Amino acid sequence: AQKVTQAQTEISVVEKEDVTLDCVYETRDTTYYLFWYKQPPSGELVFLIRRNSFDEQNEISGRYSWNFQKSTSSFNFTITASQVVDSAVYFCALYLPGGNTGKLIFGQGTTLQVKP
Amino acid sequence: DAGVTQSPTHLIKTRGQQVTLRCSPKSGHDTVSWYQQALGQGPQFIFQYYEEEERQRGNFPDRFSGHQFPNYSSELNVNALLLGDSALYLCASSLGGDFDEQFFGPGTRLTVL
């Protein structure tokens, strides 16, 4: 079965703290893609990053970084020096390509609250 | 460059009624996917339209149907509404029937009473 688990339902931090959002996925497919999306209160999902299963290099983009570890089936997301504007719901998602059976599976989401 | 637009923003219906939601993809995109997001949950994939055909479908009953027009815009229709259909319905557009780099619209909030 394919599944994405975001065990942290809610996280609250104070501005400038670092915070890591966990994502664990399950799939038997060898080819897959992992995503992170941000959903601010406005409701619109904002794409943050995509990773394919053959690229385990970690990535850094400004204050954001991602740690992909196939050995533990995890794709964690770290925000360094968090800001109030980072407050949102963050979703991890798994995409399994495959013609008519390809599908995108989202986790339950982690609500991040950054307090000033 | 207009992004993905959806209409209406909010909608209130009663059980048993039918509803139509609309989506216009980002300029240059030819693929539209629909998602249902219940309160406090992650989005659930309903189906995807590409080249005016339903290309892929998630685990949703036949009450959920859709259409894609020649200009790539799309409609989501839900018949015989149930209370459990209350959710935020998100539309996402992309290119070439792919899920890569989907751009999402702001959603339509459907409330079924």
Side-chain angles (χ1 to χ4, degrees):
Chain A
Q2 298 93 13
K3 187 179 177 182
V4 176
T5 302
Q6 294 179 253
Q8 304 149 309
T9 306
E10 293 184 22
I11 300 176
S12 182
V13 299
V14 176
E15 205 169 21
K16 297 184 182 177
E17 282 186 19
D18 297 348
V19 58
T20 295
L21 309 182
D22 298 333
C23 173
V24 174
Y25 61 93
E26 293 177 33
T27 180
R28 292 183 179 180
D29 290 40
T30 55
T31 301
Y32 53 88
Y33 296 82
L34 295 164
F35 296 80
W36 275 96
Y37 286 89
K38 174 182 180 180
Q39 188 174 40
S42 62
E44 192 167 329
L45 282 165
V46 177
F47 167 84
L48 296 178
I49 190 172
R50 179 198 68 161
R51 257 291 173 263
N52 74 56
S53 54
F54 301 107
D55 181 4
E56 285 194 73
Q57 278 196 342
N58 293 327
E59 182 160 337
I60 298 175
S61 176
R63 295 184 298 107
Y64 296 168
S65 62
W66 291 269
N67 183 0
F68 177 27
Q69 291 194 340
K70 288 178 73 172
S71 61
T72 55
S73 297
S74 65
F75 186 44
N76 296 338
F77 172 33
T78 297
I79 302 175
T80 303
S82 59
Q83 300 176 0
V84 173
V85 293
D86 295 327
S87 297
V89 183
Y90 290 86
F91 291 98
C92 180
L94 169 68
Y95 171 47
L96 305 170
N100 293 333
T101 61
K103 54 185 175 181
L104 185 62
I105 303 161
F106 282 83
Q108 298 281 74
T110 296
T111 299
L112 174 64
Q113 183 181 31
V114 182
K115 299 177 182 178
Chain B
D1 178 21
V4 179
T5 59
Q6 292 185 244
S7 63
T9 306
H10 295 88
L11 204 51
I12 299 176
K13 292 286 188 177
T14 56
R15 280 178 297 177
Q17 286 189 313
Q18 178 264 344
V19 68
T20 298
L21 310 182
R22 296 176 176 82
C23 171
S24 291
K26 178 180 168 64
S27 178
H29 283 183
D30 58 7
T31 303
V32 173
S33 301
W34 287 92
Y35 295 83
Q36 180 195 67
Q37 186 179 16
L39 200 61
Q41 304 293 316
Q44 299 285 320
F45 173 67
I46 303 175
F47 43 52
Q48 183 188 75
Y49 276 84
Y50 173 60
E51 294 185 336
E52 300 182 50
E53 289 188 359
E54 184 183 292
R55 189 166 176 267
Q56 300 182 30
R57 189 178 183 94
N59 294 326
F60 279 81
D62 292 343
R63 297 187 298 110
F64 289 77
S65 63
H67 187 77
Q68 186 178 37
F69 299 93
N71 66 353
Y72 307 124
S73 67
S74 176
E75 287 182 350
L76 164 65
N77 301 293
V78 187
N79 294 321
L81 284 168
L82 304 173
L83 295 180
D85 295 330
S86 295
L88 179 68
Y89 287 84
L90 295 165
C91 166
S93 75
S94 55
L95 197 56
D98 204 348
F99 284 95
D100 193 10
E101 293 208 58
Q102 292 184 95
F103 288 79
F104 283 81
T108 293
R109 173 71 63 187
L110 172 64
T111 302
V112 182
L113 302 176

